Amino acid sequence: MSGLATKETQKSVSSFIDRIENTSKREDSKILVKIIQEISGYEPKIWGDNFIIGFGKYTYTRKNKKEEFEWFHTGFAPRKTKITIYLTFDISKEEDLLKKLGKCTWGKGCLYINKLADVDMEILKKLLQKSNTSQWH
């Protein structure tokens, strides 16, 4: 399974989180690990050199291609400015939940959050649950 640069590693999740300089992002990362682990039932793993924390994994084939790739079911990356949450469904179709979520932006499969205090945690959990049961994996 070659092709993707971002692959599951054996790097320490807790060591990575402990090295996050921003206190708020570090604490939010600990909370996200706990929540996603509870929802998904998977242990967190570091994916790639960009330090995405992913939960679970599945194999997929891109349209019109034969090569298989592995990717995580749900994950997040604590970046300098925002926390990126990776979901396995088109979040833009979840207008009702997004209206209730709070201060954030999104792309097709990602949420961008400054800090967890900006969003409704129950709505975020619903989105994480949907990602965990998505048909994409």
Side-chain angles (χ1 to χ4, degrees), residues 74-88:
T74 306
F76 73 96
R79 306 287 184 219
K80 287 194 186 287
T81 57
K82 303 217 184 270
I83 296 172
T84 302
I85 299 176
Y86 299 93
L87 305 168
T88 55

Side-chain angles (χ1 to χ4, degrees), residues 11 13-14 25 40 69-70 76 82 108:
K11 297 173 185 172
V13 173
S14 59
K25 291 240 181 337
S40 71
F69 300 97
E70 284 186 339
F76 73 96
K82 303 217 184 270
K108 187 171 183 175

Side-chain angles (χ1 to χ4, degrees), residues 73-113:
H73 293 288
T74 306
F76 73 96
R79 306 287 184 219
K80 287 194 186 287
T81 57
K82 303 217 184 270
I83 296 172
T84 302
I85 299 176
Y86 299 93
L87 305 168
T88 55
F89 64 96
D90 185 351
I91 192 168
S92 64
K93 294 180 179 178
E94 298 297 324
E95 291 178 35
D96 291 341
L97 289 176
L98 290 171
K99 286 177 187 174
K100 298 174 189 173
L101 184 58
K103 184 181 174 184
C104 67
T105 57
W106 57 87
K108 187 171 183 175
C110 298
L111 279 173
Y112 305 99
I113 299 170

Side-chain angles (χ1 to χ4, degrees), residues 5 16 20 23 25 33-37 39 44 49 53 73 81 89-90 102 106 118-119 129 136:
F16 166 65
I20 297 172
T23 304
K25 291 240 181 337
V33 164
K34 183 178 178 185
I35 290 170
I36 298 172
Q37 191 170 7
I39 289 171
D49 292 331
I53 300 171
H73 293 288
T81 57
F89 64 96
D90 185 351
W106 57 87
D118 290 342
V119 297
Q129 181 65 42
W136 286 16

